[in-house]
Amino acid sequence: MEKYIIEGGRPLYGEVEIQSAKNAVLPLLAAAVLTEQKVVIHKCPRIADVLNMVQILCELGFRTRFEGEELKIDGADAANHEIPAALAKEMRSSVFMLGSVIARFKKARIAYPGGCDIGLRPIDLHLSGLRRLGVTIDEDGGYIDCACEKLRGAEILLDCPSVGATENIMLAAVKAEGRTVIRNAAKEPEIVDLAGFLNKMGAKVRGAGGAVITIEGVSKLHGVEYTPISDRIEAGTFLIASAMCGGELELKNADADNIASLIHKLCEISCKIYAEDDKIYIQSKRRISPKLVETSPYPGFPTDLQAQMTALACICEGATVIVENLFETRFKHVPELIRMGADITVRGRSAFIRGVKTLKGADVFAGDLRGGAALTLAAVSAEGLSTVADLSHIDRGYSGFEYKLRGIGARIRRVRI
Ligand code: UD1
């Protein structure tokens, strides 16, 4: 196991290059299954979730190779339809593979997916969507077995705008016979990116980014070269780092429009932010409480920035209520923040926070990806020495997190325990 040792309390100054979005790259890797031709993903981050997904592609018979930041995928010889249980359990996104594997091989087998333990996270909408497209699904002994003669376009209404279910259905529907309409679809920027990628492969997807996505199935998809969108959650994490520590940052390869809800909140608490082209500048000094932050689907405040925002609210002047509307148990970082001197009470889906002047260094444990990032920011802003373990969660989503933080003045290093 590895941990960070952090000596906190220094302001952050400098530039940070934002990686491509984890949540965009993962479904693109699933989409690569849809063609026998070559796929090249530029600026592909080497985070653990991506490496796991690449491993799944290898198990399916794809040849994959990183050349610098470029990931090359060749599916000419792929013939396997089974995703090994060990890999499926490592990450929830393995479930995206169902849609594309079934579209290509007419059968798919996967163990129930794992991922961050932040709530129940069912996959019923994924499965009912695929059933609507003509897939027969058997769930037995922790495995999901899918088969179909052929995929048929269908009208699909999602009970809630699930990101993963929308993507999974898109991945199967692009090769279905006829038209598929997904209503109450998720509107996240990563869905728009997936549609852009699929259309570049020859698919016919319209309406992504809105609540209704229409897909005209095609019989064949071809190879593609693509640069995914930048990671709005990584950008948001660094903006919050700046708000917590003070100083001045410039984020490069960042898209302010995709995190407008966060930027709005940070401006409210008196950060100065302005954006130009693909850069975001932030200057932070005094912090007043954001009062109320409620997570909701895009374009609302992202649940993936809730933990980091909770850490920030701990050192804002005044009281804040944070409401987590998407996932049931996404407050695992709270007891750890309390160890650092935070004043937080959790009742159900709400955290009530009374701001303290500063957090104090402590030994804390990261229980999930974004909670781990939040604790790291808390430690970087805190007075004194902290340790943050276990880094395997943080490594799932942030490439070179500590290098980037060190580059802007944080005192942080990684050690093996
Ligand atoms: C994706 C993101 C994750 C983010 C989340 C919400 C990826 C790889 N992950 O996760 O980082 O936190 O969106 O923005 O893109 N639900 C059901 N049934 C289903 C599917 C979902 O009830 O079949 C519920 C979930 O329990 C949850 C809500 O829908 O309460 C949203 O989940 P969903 O949008 O599917 O999140 P993920 O795709 O898992």
Side-chain angles (χ1 to χ4, degrees):
M1 193 197 280
E2 291 181 315
K3 67 178 179 183
Y4 286 144
I5 298 181
I6 298 168
E7 200 186 314
R10 293 155 60 90
L12 304 177
Y13 286 94
E15 297 172 1
V16 180
E17 174 86 20
I18 300 302
Q19 69 189 21
S20 296
K22 167 179 96 71
N23 289 353
V25 173
L26 297 175
L28 300 193
L29 296 181
V33 170
L34 294 164
T35 179
E36 295 89 49
Q37 296 180 5
K38 293 193 173 66
V39 170
V40 180
I41 305 208
H42 299 287
K43 282 194 172 182
C44 186
R46 291 199 201 201
I47 47 180
D49 271 9
V50 167
L51 299 179
N52 253 318
M53 205 71 163
V54 168
Q55 190 57 40
I56 292 177
L57 286 172
C58 294
E59 297 285 343
L60 296 175
F62 287 77
R63 274 178 286 152
T64 64
R65 197 172 70 236
F66 266 105
E67 278 177 15
E69 287 193 312
E70 236 172 56
L71 174 63
K72 297 189 167 167
I73 302 166
D74 182 346
D77 305 326
N80 198 352
H81 66 276
E82 187 168 337
I83 294 147
L87 289 168
K89 291 202 162 94
E90 277 294 315
M91 58 185 310
R92 182 172 166 86
S93 309
S94 55
V95 75
F96 300 150
M97 286 287 185
L98 271 186
S100 52
V101 171
I102 191 85
R104 172 134 179 213
F105 302 115
K106 303 285 176 278
K107 50 189 174 180
R109 180 174 164 83
I110 188 174
Y112 267 95
C116 271
D117 177 16
I118 52 178
L120 294 173
R121 305 192 87 178
I123 53 167
D124 54 322
L125 302 177
H126 298 243
L127 301 185
S128 61
L130 293 175
R131 281 195 178 100
R132 296 275 304 153
L133 295 174
V135 180
T136 314
I137 301 177
D138 278 331
E139 296 172 72
D140 193 26
Y143 279 85
I144 304 165
D145 279 295
C146 301
C148 71
E149 290 279 313
K150 66 175 174 191
L151 294 166
R152 290 182 311 270
E155 285 268 338
I156 298 171
L157 173 68
L158 294 177
D159 288 343
C160 69
S162 156
V163 176
T166 303
E167 290 169 341
N168 220 341
I169 295 164
M170 286 166 76
L171 288 164
V174 285
K175 287 190 84 179
E177 210 175 278
R179 174 182 296 179
T180 297
V181 181
I182 310 173
R183 299 188 193 278
N184 199 22
K187 299 174 185 164
E188 268 65 5
E190 292 76 17
I191 304 270
V192 179
D193 210 37
L194 175 61
F197 183 87
L198 290 168
N199 285 342
K200 221 175 160 194
M201 292 175 90
K204 293 183 178 160
V205 182
R206 283 183 290 121
V212 181
I213 298 177
T214 307
I215 300 161
E216 303 290 344
V218 297
S219 57
K220 206 163 171 55
L221 292 169
H222 52 74
V224 59
E225 287 204 20
Y226 202 78
T227 306
I229 54 169
S230 83
D231 196 316
R232 61 197 170 101
I233 305 303
E234 190 198 23
T237 301
F238 278 98
L239 290 179
I240 294 174
S242 171
M244 292 183 75
C245 299
E248 220 174 311
L249 291 187
E250 178 185 318
L251 307 188
K252 294 174 160 174
N253 186 39
D255 187 337
D257 289 343
N258 286 348
I259 39 169
S261 57
L262 171 70
I263 290 179
H264 178 73
K265 280 286 164 200
L266 293 179
C267 290
E268 260 179 26
I269 71 167
S270 82
C271 294
K272 297 204 168 18
I273 300 180
Y274 92 97
E276 195 178 52
D277 304 325
D278 67 345
K279 296 190 180 66
I280 306 178
Y281 305 87
I282 177 165
Q283 206 181 42
S284 319
K285 281 194 190 113
R286 202 171 68 88
R287 299 168 297 258
I288 47 171
S289 136
K291 294 193 176 62
L292 175 67
V293 179
E294 277 206 63
T295 65
S296 59
Y298 189 83
F301 193 92
T303 174
D304 287 351
L305 288 173
Q306 178 264 108
Q308 300 88 317
M309 197 66 182
T310 301
L312 166 60
C314 292
I315 50 169
C316 285
E317 202 181 300
T320 306
V321 180
I322 307 251
V323 186
E324 172 55 60
N325 286 312
L326 271 90
F327 295 109
E328 298 84 359
T329 55
R330 209 171 192 178
F331 281 126
K332 285 214 191 98
H333 43 286
V334 166
E336 305 302 299
L337 288 170
I338 292 172
R339 291 157 76 91
M340 300 181 82
D343 183 348
I344 311 175
T345 309
V346 174
R347 288 272 179 277
R349 286 176 177 260
S350 301
F352 300 88
I353 304 163
R354 285 156 294 270
V356 295
K357 204 157 178 282
T358 166
L359 294 172
K360 305 270 189 298
D363 296 330
V364 293
F365 192 82
D368 62 74
L369 164 58
R370 304 303 171 184
L375 294 174
T376 305
L377 301 192
V380 168
S381 81
E383 264 175 19
L385 207 64
S386 298
T387 62
V388 180
D390 143 22
L391 300 187
S392 65
H393 295 290
I394 295 172
D395 291 340
R396 287 189 36 223
Y398 294 88
S399 66
F401 197 35
E402 70 267 28
Y403 294 106
K404 290 184 181 180
L405 284 167
R406 239 186 348 251
I408 51 178
R411 291 206 169 140
I412 174 169
R413 67 196 165 89
R414 176 186 289 251
V415 294
R416 197 172 284 277
I417 303 173

